[in-house]
Amino acid sequence: MGLKQELLRQADEEFTGLREAVAGLGEAEMTRPWLGTWGVREILIHIVGWHGEMIPVLERLARGEKPLVEGVSYDDVDAWNARFVTVRQGLPAAAVVRELEASHRDFLAAATNVPDERFAPGKTATPRAVTSTPEPNTPEPETPTPEPTPAEQPTPREGQTTYVVQSGDNANDIALRFGITVEELAAANNTTVDDLRSLDVGDVLIIPVPSAPPTPPPEETEPPPPEEAQPPPETPTPE
């Protein structure tokens, strides 16, 4: 039998012993103070209250989440116990016993769903002695993240120029502007055509010398004005 099964078995046995101890007690005996101002009824209410608080904790553990909600603390146990009693003020002892039986079943069901490894020594679900001092949680030293090495920028050669990428630029437009091909632009910058598809504003590009001067578009010339039509020669009229 594993540790988880053994703990669940013990919890069920202890609960059975508690039920047998209070069996047959009347309302007067259940409400008679014997621990300060608390009687058996109040002690059972404490157990019901803690079941209600711990069932969601176990459910979060079963989901792999943090057991406690941010801002919730159980350090002041007496204050929690008093709150449980106030909520159930006036509830008859018999009703408290019925609520206790239901909360015990729900508590064991939630604990059953917690993975077995959470019950191992040092894990959250393992009960610890009240007098034990928890070991300080020493954080592991952070491993410094190496800074990325900047890519080596190509150096312009004789005759080459540089161009700073502006908003709206793309490789095709830049190449066309300087009379070169995209392949020539990529070769001059030690990159690929595909990499040139994702330029960022501020990137510095080397513009190579065009392999052939760009052919200027032919100039548009205005057509010559049409010649004026000459009137036909006059035919002499015979006398």
Side-chain angles (χ1 to χ4, degrees), residues 9-215:
R9 184 191 64 80
Q10 290 179 10
D12 207 26
E13 285 185 357
E14 295 293 338
F15 180 76
T16 301
L18 174 63
R19 285 290 289 113
E20 293 174 351
V22 300
L25 295 180
E27 187 74 19
E29 295 170 308
M30 293 280 282
T31 56
R32 181 183 303 123
W34 62 272
L35 184 61
T37 59
W38 292 338
V40 175
R41 172 185 172 275
E42 285 71 32
I43 300 300
L44 299 185
I45 287 177
H46 296 167
I47 301 175
V48 173
W50 285 113
H51 279 165
E53 289 297 319
M54 291 301 107
I55 288 172
V57 170
L58 293 174
E59 291 173 345
R60 286 190 287 270
L61 283 174
R63 295 192 298 265
E65 303 171 1
K66 290 183 177 180
L68 298 183
V69 177
E70 190 72 25
V72 175
S73 172
Y74 296 113
D75 292 340
D76 194 345
V77 176
D78 289 339
W80 279 95
N81 287 335
R83 184 183 309 174
F84 298 149
V85 172
T86 301
V87 171
R88 292 166 177 82
Q89 187 173 8
L91 191 66
V96 173
V97 172
R98 289 193 297 270
E99 190 174 353
L100 175 64
E101 291 175 346
S103 67
H104 173 71
R105 288 194 301 269
D106 294 341
F107 178 82
L108 288 186
T112 301
N113 293 329
V114 176
D116 292 10
E117 58 268 18
R118 300 295 293 180
F119 288 80
K123 296 297 182 179
T124 307
T126 302
R128 296 182 179 180
V130 177
T131 56
S132 63
T133 303
E135 297 180 359
N137 184 14
T138 305
E140 297 182 0
E142 296 183 359
T143 303
T145 304
E147 296 183 359
T149 303
E152 183 179 353
Q153 295 291 337
T155 304
R157 298 177 182 176
E158 185 177 356
Q160 295 179 335
T161 58
T162 58
Y163 175 76
V164 179
V165 176
Q166 306 296 317
S167 177
D169 280 342
N170 62 65
N172 289 329
D173 290 344
I174 295 173
L176 183 63
R177 187 181 310 166
F178 290 96
I180 58 177
T181 64
V182 178
E183 289 76 10
E184 290 173 332
L185 182 63
N189 289 274
N190 295 335
T191 187
T192 65
V193 174
D194 288 338
D195 288 340
L196 288 180
R197 306 295 182 198
S198 56
L199 294 175
D200 294 325
V201 175
D203 286 348
V204 179
L205 295 178
I206 290 179
I207 307 300
V209 179
S211 55
T215 303

